[in-house]
Amino acid sequence: MSKFWIVAMHTYIQKVKSKSFIISTAVILLFMAAFANLDRIIGLFGDEEEKIGVVALSGDYFAALQEQLKASGSELALEEFDSESNAKKAEDEGDISGYLLLEDQAGLPAGIYKAASIADSTESTELQNALQQVQTVIMTEKANITDEQLAAIYTPVSFEVEALNEDAKSEAELSQARGLVYIMIFAIYFSVLVYAGMIANEVAIEKSSRVMEILISSVSPIKQMFAKITGIALLTLTQLIIFVVVGYLALMNNSGVGDVFELFNFNNIETKTVIYAVVFTLLGYLLYATMAACLGSLVSKLEDLQQMLLPMTMLVIFGFLIAMNGLSNPEANFITITSYIPFFTPMIMFLRIGMLDIAPLEIAIGIILMLVTIGLLAYVGAKVYKGGVLMYSNSTSLKDIRKAINLTKNQ
């Protein structure tokens, strides 16, 4: 066991000290800090108050339009011009961003907005919405509709959704679960792609340096393979702890923790949901990490690694797409079926646990199938690993797995 931990800690320390790990961690932390203070950053580069010209061709709607913009919280400022030519001159000189031609059509306002560029639709949309409100006010006055009647017209209809099954989750619980599931699916997706690929890369680098012959003579292939998986797992844990701590502190300094928790409905997360999130993340990591170590042992050149990892990458992407689709319909038959396929179980079974009230037996079957698959991959992977690390010919296809196993038999 001491040799196992020597290899694991060597892998961990070398990766932690590597420039790629330090730079990538620093860059992600920088993005997290920027995101947590996005409102302040935008404020530093905030534009000056936008000024819009208004030319009344007919009718008198300027005051009403200005009042509606103010009521909606718009930051647009209006300036009245007596002619379009004067408004155009002000726009050419940069005094206004654009101008609105207002006219009366059958007792209702109509407008034409003109600007040098209409790529930014913010101003035109705000003006259109305000003008729509002016029209609504005029129409209600003509129809002798009171403010109370108008409020009643625009009051949203009372509509609730209730499940007949007493054990089914409520709408609030589903919203809460959806937020956590959404984040965990992304976490599993990226952790598998990034860190499993890192294991394959580590094996390929050592193999290309011809140090592998020395390693396998002192440490058994199965110990070496899982030592590397453990080392990268510790690296993953280290990076995640850094991200969580820094992210939490950044949000606390910005008083945004409560807002984030409220946005994703994390205020009342069930303990079992968090436990299952950890369990399926670890199982998914073990499954794909074992596969990545096997595939990485088959290549002799780093440039061939991505091609060899393509089938594994496609499995992860396919599972991710199924899970995203299942967020809106977790009871679909194809979601239930694919949740028992071990390569998709980490994301899709967790999706069902979070969104539905499924029987513990179903969860147990999914976990057992994953454990069996991990065991089979470990058994076959050890043989592939042992033979693959001694194969130095160009290996770019999965057919080389048989070569690696035959090489193991001949040793």
Side-chain angles (χ1 to χ4, degrees):
M1 187 59 74
S2 60
K3 293 181 180 180
F4 172 90
W5 285 109
I6 289 173
V7 175
M9 295 310 297
H10 173 76
T11 302
Y12 171 72
I13 293 171
Q14 288 298 110
K15 285 293 180 183
V16 167
K17 292 165 57 178
S18 66
K19 290 183 180 179
S20 60
F21 175 81
I22 296 172
I23 293 173
S24 64
T25 303
V27 168
I28 294 174
L29 291 177
L30 185 63
F31 274 110
M32 290 174 64
F35 180 78
N37 297 277
L38 192 59
D39 53 342
R40 298 175 184 174
I41 295 173
I42 292 175
L44 294 175
F45 298 95
D47 298 327
E48 296 181 0
E49 184 182 50
E50 294 287 344
K51 189 175 289 187
I52 304 296
V54 178
V55 181
L57 300 179
S58 60
D60 186 15
Y61 300 108
F62 179 81
L65 178 64
Q66 197 169 38
E67 184 180 342
Q68 289 298 333
L69 283 172
K70 185 178 180 181
S72 65
S74 173
E75 296 182 357
L76 292 180
L78 300 183
E79 182 177 346
E80 195 169 14
F81 291 87
D82 55 5
S83 66
E84 184 178 355
S85 59
N86 289 337
K88 180 69 169 63
K89 182 180 178 182
E91 194 277 330
D92 291 338
E93 293 175 353
D95 295 331
I96 58 176
S97 301
Y99 58 90
L100 176 68
L101 301 178
L102 273 179
E103 59 180 337
D104 182 273
Q105 291 183 357
L108 296 175
I112 301 175
Y113 180 68
K114 296 185 179 182
S117 173
I118 57 173
D120 186 358
S121 62
T122 306
E123 293 90 352
S124 60
T125 301
E126 290 186 19
L127 288 171
Q128 183 181 5
N129 291 337
L131 207 58
Q132 180 68 48
Q133 291 300 317
V134 173
Q135 177 176 288
T136 301
V137 171
I138 295 172
M139 291 295 292
T140 54
E141 288 177 352
K142 287 183 178 180
N144 294 321
I145 298 175
T146 64
D147 292 340
E148 291 77 10
Q149 290 172 325
L150 185 63
I153 291 172
Y154 285 105
T155 300
V157 64
S158 178
F159 187 81
E160 297 180 2
V161 179
E162 293 184 0
L164 293 174
N165 188 347
E166 294 181 359
D167 296 328
K169 292 181 181 290
S170 66
E171 189 69 21
E173 290 173 331
L174 283 174
S175 297
Q176 180 189 92
R178 192 175 283 111
L180 179 61
V181 168
Y182 191 79
I183 288 180
M184 285 308 304
I185 287 173
F186 267 98
I188 293 172
Y189 173 71
F190 285 110
S191 64
V192 166
L193 282 184
V194 174
Y195 296 109
M198 196 180 291
I199 292 171
N201 190 65
E202 178 75 10
V203 174
I205 289 174
E206 289 186 355
K207 184 178 174 182
S208 62
S209 66
R210 296 293 177 118
V211 74
M212 194 60 74
E213 293 95 329
I214 301 173
L215 288 174
I216 63 172
S217 64
S218 57
V219 184
S220 66
I222 189 71
K223 281 187 179 179
Q224 186 181 337
M225 184 174 69
F226 276 100
K228 289 188 177 299
I229 292 173
T230 303
I232 300 298
L234 292 173
L235 181 77
T236 305
L237 190 61
T238 301
Q239 200 168 44
L240 287 178
I241 289 174
I242 293 172
F243 291 159
V244 170
V245 171
V246 173
Y248 184 81
L249 291 176
L251 288 172
M252 276 199 63
N253 291 333
N254 201 29
S255 302
V257 176
D259 295 337
V260 172
F261 273 58
E262 185 177 351
L263 175 64
F264 290 102
N265 299 290
F266 287 169
N267 296 319
N268 297 301
I269 300 175
E270 294 183 0
T271 305
K272 69 173 186 178
T273 305
V274 177
I275 293 173
Y276 281 128
V278 174
V279 168
F280 282 106
T281 301
L282 289 175
L283 289 176
Y285 172 80
L286 280 174
L287 181 72
Y288 283 101
T290 306
M291 190 188 307
C294 297
L295 296 175
S297 67
L298 294 173
V299 299
S300 301
K301 300 177 182 178
L302 284 176
E303 52 266 29
D304 297 331
L305 183 60
Q306 292 305 317
Q307 183 178 348
M308 185 63 72
L309 291 178
L310 184 60
M312 184 190 79
T313 304
M314 293 305 296
L315 282 173
V316 179
I317 293 174
F318 193 50
F320 175 78
L321 293 176
I322 294 174
M324 286 291 102
N325 187 274
L327 280 171
S328 58
N329 188 15
E331 293 182 312
N333 288 333
F334 80 95
I335 294 294
T336 302
I337 294 169
T338 51
S339 68
Y340 293 109
I341 300 176
F343 299 106
F344 306 142
T345 299
M347 288 183 275
I348 301 176
M349 184 61 80
F350 178 69
L351 163 71
R352 294 183 64 213
I353 291 171
M355 301 290 293
L356 305 173
D357 186 27
I358 63 176
L361 180 61
E362 295 184 58
I363 302 173
I365 291 173
I367 292 175
I368 290 171
L369 287 174
M370 281 203 71
L371 291 172
V372 170
T373 305
I374 292 171
L376 289 173
L377 280 176
Y379 176 75
V380 176
K383 292 182 175 295
V384 174
Y385 191 93
K386 187 175 181 180
V389 293
L390 297 177
M391 289 171 53
Y392 289 96
S393 58
N394 289 334
S395 301
T396 56
S397 71
L398 297 178
K399 293 187 296 184
D400 296 300
I401 291 177
R402 181 179 296 179
K403 291 182 184 178
I405 293 175
N406 290 333
L407 186 59
T408 303
K409 293 178 180 178
N410 296 330
Q411 290 180 16

